[in-house]
Amino acid sequence: MRLKIPFGLKRLSDSLNPLEFGNGESTVHIYTLDNHLFRILHYTPAQPIHKLDTTIKPTVQETEDGWTIATVVCELKISLDGFGVQLFYKNQLLFGDLLNRAYEYDTDHVHHYRQHNQDMIYLGLGERASPLQLNRRRFRMQCLDSMGYDPERTDPLYKHVPFHLVLNRETKDCIGLFYNTRADGIFDFGCEVDALWGDYTVVKTQSKVLDYYLFLGPSVQSVIQTFAHLTSLPAMVPKYSLGYLASAMGYAEAENAQELIEAFPQELIKHRIPCDLLHLSSGYTVDPQTGARNIFTWNHKRFPDPKRMFRTLKDNGVRTVANVKPWLLCKHPQYQRVQEMNGFVKNGDRPSETRLWSAGPGASASGSYLDFTSHGGRLFWKQGIKDLLDVGIDGVWNDNNEMSIQDDDHTIDMSDNPQPIGLVGRPLLTLEMAKASHEAMIEHSPSTRPYLITRSSCVGAQAFACQTWSGDNRSTWQSLKHNIPMGLMAGLSLMPHYGHDVGGFYGPRPEPELFVRWVQNGIFHPRFCIHSWKTEGITTPWMYPEYVHIIRDAIQWRYKLIPYLYCLAFESASNGAPIIRPLLYDFQHDPQTFDKSFEFMLGPWLLVASVVEQASSRTLYLPNGTKWFDFWQKKWYDGGKSVVVQVPLEQHGALFLKSGAILPINPKAQRSTLLDIDDQRTVLLYPDANTGVSSFTVTDDDGVSLNSMKWQLEITMTWNTTTVTIVCDKLESGYEPKYRNLVFILPDGDERLLVDQKNGRKSPRELVIQT
């Protein structure tokens, strides 16, 4: 390794976009892509330079020590002395390179050194160990199969997202940085200290070109929207994915697996638990003789008639997704065929072989990863997915897809342009696997919305895989608590439909109190799935009979919230907004929210503070600038202070509604979205005792079609001390919901007059308005 820092860079041409700088070895291009958005590329020596097409003509001014790009909202200043850039907003510095060291590099890596100070708060970076803030920590940008990880310390985990936000504690303004690479790397947020250079952050990637986007919010929401439109918007989920998702490796690992699974709906009926989907773990692929897991094969001893099993489940309202893994063991019956199709990652002219999970815990065998950039690999994969869909599954579960290829020099096809995996980055295969699964589902059923789950993920995969989760967590109070900020960071990083294995995947069965609190937390997350691998047996909602009434009520609560969750899913698919949000997302003006890792907003209205330790009370902070309604105690609180509330075991966490909340719910008890007729809709209203106005857009469609027409209604609520006035404006009417009326209801004890402004109808506390 030989470190070099480019000095003596000069402007190379009259070009305004990009501005071009160089010194005969390094070249730096600075593009203005929008009034708030810049792209900066540092080409190290001998790297080919590719100019980007742009029609924007920025205002560029020469200064004493360099150049300034001035837009209508911000300024980007380029210093030639010690070369670096700085971003100013309202004359305040929000970003600055570390002069004289900013663009250091060696033969195989590029580095980016930036200024750091105590006002900078770092957020995002995909899925990271708790807490929410990344400050004074160092992270590896790499994906690993982190089974049984420590949610406070383990790094790396499953996701590769080289994007983060920088929130300024003093100005309360936010910027975003996206490093356009899939290579391995390191992100250091002020952990490293050097007496000469002072405080700084540094990013190091295994690339030969530094390529990053710098963008101004100034709001957190705007930063995430920009990131979404730079990369891709999250895929829309089918409505059934918002229900209770059942799962356990124990079902498919049993020798009487089909018998167990076909009996599952009767257990649901017996315990009156609604459920929409069952995950089929990889036990269905286990070879009866060798125990090896062979993708796209069936163990007919465990599953004598899979088609009948899937019909039985669906007749009872339960859909299924099947687990698939991105490799073939060398003794797989199709291995030779795929090798002849050039469908594997290559080691020279032969398949790249590595140790892969093969049978039970810790067992491994030689095998090869499929190359999803090759024609043969994609062809084999897509046909396998279609065959599973023919048998009767409804969705696909991409698992174990961290792509742990051990040799950086092994190559992938890249459409007949082979490249070393270390250079292009292993997450490219994760992305292409998601794309291939998604394509196969659409080719098989063109009008059906694909339901694709992925464990590993990367930038761009959100366009294909609509759900992900925190991987193989432990059954501990620590995991329950510290998985929460992991999900918040994922939401800030364009993984809005994120959840956790409720009850914990790994370790002993959770004790009753822990399990109850985990379910009560899980029902407020975008993905609600109970999943496990336990020697004591399967984790089910009814495993503790004396507590099943609490679990049932919690899951029924989840089903009541599906209309609200579905509205949030539409919002996310349109602008990238997270569904569960750290408090700072909606209350950026309140610095007391900046370090809150264990409470969150579910959409714009509902503040959730789950019980995450053995306790019957909860202390939480209520953000400033609004009033808050305690859902359970039916009383109002002022914001800007911490409160202590009682949370007995039967109560599903501490829940507070923001003043002005408009919350659409389904008032009916349900069995599943497949069986139940969605013909009732209630809208809960929470105006405070003063005056105000708020609005919310309610969106619905058929829930399953790829290009379903929508029904969309904007509800505006205006209130004073005596009346609450409702205005409903229909924005789209291509879909006709089965509910004909909306029932608007004020909280118990609020006897103000509800008024339908359009037709003049009035009623105290409860009002019916036709849709």
Side-chain angles (χ1 to χ4, degrees):
M1 178 178 71
R2 183 187 175 193
L3 291 175
K4 296 192 70 175
I5 300 172
F7 288 109
L9 276 76
K10 305 294 183 183
R11 190 169 175 191
L12 298 179
S13 73
D14 292 333
S15 170
L16 298 179
N17 205 7
L19 287 177
E20 300 174 304
F21 302 92
N23 63 359
E25 291 185 336
S26 286
T27 302
V28 176
H29 285 183
I30 301 176
Y31 288 88
T32 304
L33 303 181
D34 207 334
N35 287 322
H36 67 296
L37 173 62
F38 305 91
R39 185 177 183 182
I40 300 167
L41 298 103
H42 170 214
Y43 297 94
T44 58
Q47 296 308 304
I49 295 174
H50 304 286
K51 284 198 174 183
L52 310 175
D53 292 331
T54 178
T55 59
I56 296 175
K57 295 182 179 179
T59 300
V60 178
Q61 300 171 335
E62 187 171 8
T63 63
E64 288 186 5
D65 65 342
W67 303 84
T68 295
I69 302 172
T71 76
V72 295
V73 294
C74 61
E75 288 186 333
L76 192 74
K77 295 185 177 181
I78 301 103
S79 173
L80 296 181
D81 185 10
F83 197 83
V85 303
Q86 296 176 312
L87 180 66
F88 288 84
Y89 174 63
K90 295 183 178 179
N91 297 317
Q92 296 290 325
L93 176 67
L94 297 185
F95 165 91
D97 281 334
L98 188 65
L99 296 182
N100 296 303
R101 198 181 181 184
Y103 299 109
E104 179 184 277
Y105 65 95
D106 63 27
T107 52
D108 297 311
H109 296 77
V110 287
H111 305 166
H112 186 204
Y113 283 84
R114 298 156 23 204
Q115 299 174 34
H116 166 74
N117 64 56
Q118 63 182 6
D119 289 330
M120 295 178 176
I121 298 171
Y122 304 98
L123 307 158
L125 214 66
E127 165 195 81
R128 295 292 162 176
S130 176
L132 182 68
Q133 291 186 15
L134 307 174
N135 292 46
R136 299 297 181 186
R137 294 196 281 165
R138 182 180 179 94
F139 301 93
R140 288 169 59 197
M141 188 57 61
Q142 187 180 356
C143 302
L144 291 183
D145 183 346
S146 306
M147 181 174 175
Y149 59 87
D150 183 327
E152 293 183 82
R153 295 174 180 83
T154 300
D155 182 79
L157 292 167
Y158 302 91
K159 312 295 193 292
H160 185 288
V161 184
F163 158 77
H164 66 275
L165 306 91
V166 186
L167 175 60
N168 189 290
R169 189 184 300 274
E170 181 67 25
T171 70
K172 303 179 182 62
D173 297 315
C174 189
I175 64 167
L177 289 110
F178 166 47
Y179 290 84
N180 187 25
T181 178
R182 298 188 183 95
D184 292 353
I186 291 172
F187 282 68
D188 185 311
F189 296 105
C191 182
E192 187 174 299
V193 177
D194 187 303
L196 176 64
W197 298 100
D199 281 344
Y200 55 80
T201 67
V202 60
V203 175
K204 299 180 179 182
T205 70
Q206 191 174 315
S207 309
K208 296 180 184 294
V209 176
L210 176 68
D211 180 0
Y212 72 97
Y213 294 83
L214 170 65
F215 37 104
L216 170 69
S219 70
V220 173
Q221 293 97 320
S222 295
V223 168
I224 294 171
Q225 287 179 19
T226 298
F227 181 45
H229 289 288
L230 272 177
T231 55
S232 56
L233 290 166
M236 183 61 188
V237 293
K239 188 181 288 186
Y240 62 80
S241 71
L242 300 175
Y244 160 43
L245 312 177
S247 187
M249 285 196 66
Y251 286 120
E253 295 299 320
E255 292 309 312
N256 63 335
Q258 182 163 342
E259 178 185 349
L260 282 176
I261 290 172
E262 288 184 339
F264 177 72
Q266 297 310 308
E267 291 291 329
L268 295 170
I269 294 170
K270 175 183 175 181
H271 297 286
R272 305 196 311 278
I273 302 287
C275 180
D276 263 270
L277 185 131
L278 178 70
H279 294 70
L280 182 64
S281 292
S282 59
Y284 75 96
T285 70
V286 169
D287 186 296
Q289 279 73 47
T290 67
R293 293 170 197 272
N294 289 325
I295 185 69
F296 300 140
T297 68
W298 279 94
N299 180 326
H300 286 291
K301 182 179 177 183
R302 294 180 179 180
F303 297 89
D305 189 351
K307 287 187 176 181
R308 188 193 75 196
M309 179 183 71
F310 292 131
R311 284 197 304 270
T312 299
L313 289 170
K314 189 166 285 188
D315 287 346
N316 286 276
V318 180
R319 292 177 167 90
T320 51
V321 294
N323 182 286
V324 291
K325 305 184 189 301
W327 65 68
L328 271 65
L329 301 176
C330 291
K331 294 185 179 179
H332 189 290
Q334 296 293 318
Y335 187 92
Q336 185 63 35
R337 173 173 168 255
V338 176
Q339 182 176 353
E340 292 169 358
M341 296 168 68
N342 289 314
F344 292 122
V345 177
K346 291 287 192 67
N347 175 13
D349 59 358
R350 65 182 190 275
S352 165
E353 291 187 22
T354 190
R355 301 300 294 182
L356 296 164
W357 185 42
S358 61
S364 67
S366 291
S368 301
Y369 280 97
L370 289 162
D371 180 359
F372 294 94
T373 73
S374 71
H375 175 73
R378 293 178 70 85
L379 187 66
F380 172 78
W381 184 261
K382 290 168 70 171
Q383 187 57 55
I385 297 296
K386 293 173 185 178
D387 290 344
L388 285 172
L389 292 165
D390 283 341
V391 175
I393 69 166
D394 297 277
V396 176
W397 171 12
N398 284 5
D399 200 11
N400 300 89
N401 52 342
E402 293 75 30
M403 310 298 181
S404 299
I405 300 159
Q406 301 302 312
D407 194 322
D408 283 348
D409 291 332
H410 288 189
T411 59
I412 57 176
D413 184 73
M414 297 289 287
S415 301
D416 296 324
N417 182 29
Q419 297 290 327
I421 191 67
L423 181 63
V424 297
R426 292 161 180 80
L428 178 61
L429 290 181
T430 303
L431 172 65
E432 292 298 327
M433 179 186 182
K435 186 176 179 181
S437 296
H438 188 270
E439 287 175 356
M441 285 188 277
I442 288 181
E443 290 170 9
H444 181 273
S445 303
S447 63
T448 301
R449 192 178 306 169
Y451 181 43
L452 175 61
I453 310 162
T454 185
R455 187 171 78 178
S456 185
S457 194
C458 60
V459 175
Q462 72 271 11
F464 308 107
C466 62
Q467 278 192 346
T468 185
W469 82 104
S470 57
D472 297 338
N473 58 355
R474 288 178 178 266
S475 297
T476 62
W477 285 97
Q478 181 198 30
S479 287
L480 166 58
K481 179 177 182 177
H482 293 282
N483 276 164
I484 291 173
M486 288 174 59
L488 297 177
M489 285 185 271
L492 293 176
S493 306
L494 294 185
M495 291 179 277
H497 294 280
Y498 186 96
H500 313 282
D501 285 350
V502 170
F505 176 81
Y506 179 74
R509 176 182 283 180
E511 63 194 58
E513 184 180 357
L514 172 58
F515 184 55
V516 168
R517 292 305 195 188
W518 216 321
V519 171
Q520 291 172 334
N521 174 64
I523 61 172
F524 297 109
H525 283 67
R527 171 177 161 85
F528 171 52
C529 176
I530 300 175
H531 182 44
S532 64
W533 189 5
K534 308 293 184 191
T535 57
E536 306 98 320
I538 295 168
T539 302
T540 66
W542 47 84
M543 68 181 179
Y544 296 121
E546 62 272 34
Y547 296 93
V548 71
H549 66 287
I550 305 176
I551 302 294
R552 179 191 306 116
D553 189 67
I555 297 176
Q556 286 285 5
W557 243 97
R558 169 69 174 205
Y559 275 77
K560 289 180 180 180
L561 284 172
I562 284 179
Y564 179 54
L565 291 166
Y566 202 49
C567 294
L568 302 179
F570 274 108
E571 180 189 15
S572 183
S574 65
N575 63 19
I579 292 175
I580 60 168
R581 308 160 179 186
L583 300 187
L584 60 84
Y585 181 89
D586 289 290
F587 303 96
Q588 191 172 333
H589 64 276
D590 183 353
Q592 295 299 314
T593 66
F594 294 174
D595 62 353
K596 298 297 182 273
S597 293
F598 307 109
E599 300 84 41
F600 57 88
M601 295 297 296
L602 177 58
W605 303 127
L606 187 60
L607 192 159
V608 179
S610 300
V611 177
V612 292
E613 56 192 15
Q614 290 179 291
S616 59
S617 64
R618 183 66 154 84
T619 301
L620 68 146
Y621 177 74
L622 298 174
N624 200 3
T626 187
K627 292 183 178 295
W628 296 92
F629 184 80
D630 184 334
F631 180 84
W632 303 111
Q633 299 303 317
K634 313 300 182 187
K635 58 185 291 189
W636 285 95
Y637 288 82
D638 292 328
K641 62 183 181 181
S642 294
V643 298
V644 180
V645 294
Q646 296 303 305
V647 189
L649 190 61
E650 293 78 12
Q651 182 177 305
H652 312 316
L655 302 180
F656 286 79
L657 281 302
K658 180 184 174 185
S659 176
I662 300 170
L663 196 72
I665 65 166
N666 185 340
K668 291 173 37 176
Q670 290 186 283
R671 185 173 166 192
S672 83
T673 61
L674 183 61
L675 296 180
D676 294 310
I677 299 173
D678 186 15
D679 59 356
Q680 294 184 32
R681 192 66 82 243
T682 295
V683 182
L684 304 180
L685 305 174
Y686 296 91
D688 62 40
N690 300 313
T691 61
V693 61
S694 65
S695 64
F696 186 68
T697 300
V698 177
T699 309
D700 210 347
D701 66 4
D702 69 11
V704 294
S705 297
L706 180 59
N707 296 305
S708 174
M709 301 294 287
K710 289 190 295 187
W711 176 84
Q712 200 166 61
L713 191 75
E714 184 178 49
I715 301 172
T716 301
M717 174 172 64
T718 306
W719 68 92
N720 56 37
T721 57
T722 59
T723 60
V724 178
T725 302
I726 304 299
V727 178
C728 295
D729 291 315
K730 193 171 292 186
L731 305 179
E732 290 192 48
S733 56
Y735 170 75
E736 185 174 332
K738 292 183 172 61
Y739 44 89
R740 301 296 186 184
N741 300 314
L742 298 179
V743 181
F744 291 87
I745 301 178
L746 292 170
D748 291 344
D750 190 337
E751 298 300 328
R752 279 179 286 187
L753 201 63
L754 279 169
V755 179
D756 179 354
Q757 181 171 297
K758 289 195 174 181
N759 64 26
R761 294 182 64 247
K762 302 177 182 180
S763 177
R765 193 171 172 269
E766 183 173 319
L767 179 67
V768 178
I769 298 179
Q770 291 186 343
T771 61

